Amino acid sequence: MNFFRCLLLVMLISSVSHSSAERVNSSEAELVEDSGVVIGEQDQIDGGFSSLDGMLHWAIGHSDPATLKEAAQDTQKMSMDELQRRQLELKELVEKLKMPSDAQVMQIAIDDLNNSSLSLEDRHRALHELLILVEPIDNANDLSKSGGLRVVARQLNHSDAQVRKLAAWVLGKASQNNPFVQEQVLEFGALPTLIKMVNSSSAEEAVKALFAVSALIRNSIAGQDMFYAAHGYIMLQDVMSNESLDIKLRRKAVFLVGDLAECQLQNTEKAELPIFNDRLFLKSVVDLIVVLDLDLQEKALEAIKTLLQLKSLEPLILRDFCGLEGALKRMKLQLEGLMADENKRDYAVDVESLRGEVELIFRQNLGHL
Ligand SMILES: *[C@@H]1O[C@H](CO)[C@@H](O)[C@H](O)[C@H]1NC(C)=O
Ligand SMILES: *[C@@H]1O[C@H](CO)[C@@H](O)[C@H](O)[C@H]1NC(C)=O
Ligand SMILES: *[C@@H]1O[C@H](CO)[C@@H](O)[C@H](O)[C@H]1NC(C)=O
Ligand SMILES: *[C@@H]1O[C@H](CO)[C@@H](O)[C@H](O)[C@H]1NC(C)=O
Ligand SMILES: *[C@@H]1O[C@H](CO)[C@@H](O)[C@H](O)[C@H]1NC(C)=O
Ligand SMILES: *[C@@H]1O[C@H](CO)[C@@H](O)[C@H](O)[C@H]1NC(C)=O
């Protein structure tokens, strides 16, 4: 096996379009980097990973570093022609040898995770591999069918924070826009564990847990009912109103509120969740529009704009208990201040236009009373 891994690596190292060293570093960087602000944007690792990339990762993870280094040095001495010829030969060879499928590589990672004597380092590596491999929807489905995601979900209770964080990230990625996987993951009870994880003192763990919660319940009525039953809205309210929390976490929380309201609007036959008329919950959203962070304010305004379209929402609660009118006025002043700053001007103008829209809708709602 080592022979094969080494061959594969040499082939990738000599790939003419990009140097392997760069690729390895950049793919590592993408994984290490905290890429999450909002579900559907930064949580996506750019571009799909082909099975070749999955293989590269796997080969690196499972090979002897000394051999790899030697292979890399050897290729550096070759001329371009030699490299191209070598690459062609290796490609043919790899095609002849049977290339392990993504499913096989995933199974190795799952078997590793399912082994309680696995070292922490190897456990992190197996989860990193899965993070890449679950990107294509077919792989996510396969992993779910083979029981692999259940093994990943069990890692949410691991004593190591990094393991928990990576497990949440893998589950979130696998569930994203995939109703089949959403349903499976919800079935084995990952949601309440993830909701508790958002309380973690590690901001990174909390951010990934909230990403996974969002991915699991997005557009899923069953998921949203479970979320409600597990008091997920209290978690959201706590996050939105806690000023000492990571701003990314608070942005994600209010984005999820808007997303839940939007889903409610699209599914008119579904009974509206009681949270949309819970005054403390609504106040925690309204309070965000005067927190000095344009991104957070914009997301809060978007959420309020959607909430205002729900039937069960009582505009008087927003006016009298939440102080929406006053908050919108204060925000207008803030934004006018920001418009004097050349760097923030454009963004502030956009947010002001959204703010005006929300104010108008709110006045109309009050006018209908
Ligand atoms: C990749 O990372 C290694 C060490 O982590 C470093 O020595 C090497 O210069 C890096 N390569 C590139 C292209 O950044
Ligand atoms: C994990 O290991 C247990 C035995 O320790 C086994 O029963 C189970 O089938 C394994 N699960 C997977 C998905 O491999
Ligand atoms: C579990 O991992 C340990 C340590 O890496 C290894 O020695 C053992 O063979 C593994 N067990 C199984 C069933 O793969
Ligand atoms: C984590 O542990 C708790 C308490 O033992 C349990 O209720 C929960 O189902 C576990 N979560 C997962 C995803 O296994
Ligand atoms: C999060 O922690 C707070 C304070 O420690 C606690 O009141 C709350 O119940 C916790 N929430 C969850 C969902 O565990
Ligand atoms: C706010 O978050 C901090 C940091 O995680 C935590 O220590 C504190 O208990 C939270 N405050 C409340 C009121 O939950």
Side-chain angles (χ1 to χ4, degrees):
M1 230 22 190
N2 243 334
F3 167 72
F4 168 71
R5 283 170 189 157
C6 186
L7 268 185
L8 183 84
L9 200 79
V10 172
M11 182 191 107
L12 286 157
I13 283 171
S14 53
S15 150
V16 181
S17 49
H18 4 237
S19 104
S20 142
E22 251 169 55
R23 273 190 80 77
V24 174
N25 286 6
S26 73
S27 71
E28 284 291 341
E30 274 170 306
L31 292 180
V32 172
E33 171 190 276
D34 178 9
S35 69
V37 177
V38 167
I39 176 172
E41 294 172 18
Q42 291 87 337
D43 281 306
Q44 207 80 285
I45 291 178
D46 286 339
F49 281 85
S50 67
S51 55
L52 214 58
D53 283 289
M55 273 303 304
L56 171 62
H57 218 71
W58 179 76
I60 291 161
H62 290 80
S63 295
D64 170 26
T67 320
L68 294 185
K69 199 167 165 212
E70 229 170 77
Q73 278 165 355
D74 280 353
T75 37
Q76 273 166 14
K77 292 191 210 117
M78 293 184 202
S79 72
M80 204 56 140
D81 276 358
E82 267 178 303
L83 274 176
Q84 279 174 339
R85 191 170 45 76
R86 182 79 169 264
Q87 191 188 19
L88 217 69
E89 281 172 11
L90 284 164
K91 263 197 181 131
E92 283 166 9
L93 198 58
V94 166
E95 273 155 26
K96 266 190 248 160
L97 288 166
K98 198 169 165 355
M99 178 100 145
S101 64
D102 281 5
Q104 284 167 316
V105 181
M106 288 192 296
Q107 194 56 50
I108 293 175
I110 292 298
D111 289 344
D112 279 355
L113 288 178
N114 198 25
N115 178 347
S116 56
S117 28
L118 193 73
S119 72
L120 216 47
E121 196 190 350
D122 286 347
R123 196 167 291 276
H124 295 162
R125 203 194 55 226
L127 286 163
H128 269 133
E129 287 168 353
L130 290 174
L131 202 51
I132 293 171
L133 286 161
V134 297
E135 193 93 3
I137 195 158
D138 291 342
N139 283 357
N141 290 343
D142 288 349
L143 194 61
S144 190
K145 283 184 209 143
S146 70
L149 285 181
R150 193 184 286 273
V151 174
V152 175
R154 245 184 264 135
Q155 311 298 310
L156 295 176
N157 274 333
H158 200 278
S159 57
D160 179 66
Q162 178 77 356
V163 168
R164 295 195 301 269
K165 179 194 103 176
L166 290 169
W169 200 358
V170 171
L171 291 174
K173 248 179 194 304
S175 312
Q176 211 168 12
N177 305 317
N178 187 332
F180 171 74
V181 171
Q182 271 180 332
E183 195 184 320
Q184 301 267 307
V185 176
L186 288 170
E187 233 167 63
F188 40 77
L191 188 59
T193 308
L194 286 165
I195 290 173
K196 287 203 188 80
M197 267 171 76
V198 179
N199 239 3
S200 163
S201 55
S202 146
E204 274 189 48
E205 182 183 351
V207 165
K208 292 304 178 232
L210 187 49
F211 159 61
V213 168
S214 307
L216 271 176
I217 67 176
R218 183 167 226 205
N219 293 323
S220 160
I221 290 180
Q224 291 174 13
D225 288 341
M226 274 188 213
F227 174 77
Y228 184 71
H231 301 294
Y233 60 98
I234 295 182
M235 172 274 282
L236 283 183
Q237 191 177 311
D238 286 349
V239 170
M240 286 188 289
S241 51
N242 189 334
E243 284 170 25
S244 52
L245 288 179
D246 189 301
I247 196 83
K248 280 187 293 226
L249 197 64
R250 300 177 79 202
R251 288 180 192 147
K252 261 186 181 340
V254 72
F255 184 80
L256 180 54
V257 172
D259 208 43
L260 290 173
E262 184 63 40
C263 181
Q264 185 69 71
L265 274 185
Q266 309 290 332
N267 294 279
T268 42
E269 73 286 2
K270 179 184 184 297
E272 295 194 353
L273 288 177
I275 52 172
F276 298 130
N277 213 18
D278 178 312
R279 41 179 76 198
L280 286 172
F281 183 81
L282 292 173
K283 187 164 185 340
S284 63
V285 181
V286 170
D287 286 347
L288 292 182
I289 68 177
V290 288
V291 171
L292 289 173
D293 178 84
L294 273 177
D295 192 351
L296 183 69
Q297 290 172 296
E298 185 182 24
K299 288 181 167 72
L301 282 173
E302 290 284 5
I304 292 168
K305 185 175 153 191
T306 314
L307 286 165
L308 283 169
Q309 297 168 60
L310 292 175
K311 279 200 276 312
S312 61
L313 188 105
E314 287 181 29
L316 284 181
I317 292 187
L318 285 182
R319 190 189 69 185
D320 302 334
F321 187 79
C322 307
L324 181 58
E325 276 175 323
L328 286 169
K329 282 210 186 81
R330 272 167 66 200
M331 188 185 198
K332 188 181 170 73
L333 293 178
Q334 274 180 12
L335 288 170
E336 280 165 3
L338 286 179
M339 283 178 208
D341 178 341
E342 216 171 283
N343 293 322
K344 298 202 174 127
R345 193 188 151 74
D346 290 352
Y347 198 2
V349 168
D350 287 349
V351 177
E352 168 55 24
S353 141
L354 178 61
R355 193 207 62 84
E357 235 183 293
V358 169
E359 195 166 47
L360 194 68
I361 299 172
F362 182 48
R363 288 227 183 94
Q364 284 167 351
N365 280 12
L366 287 174
H368 291 153
L369 292 179

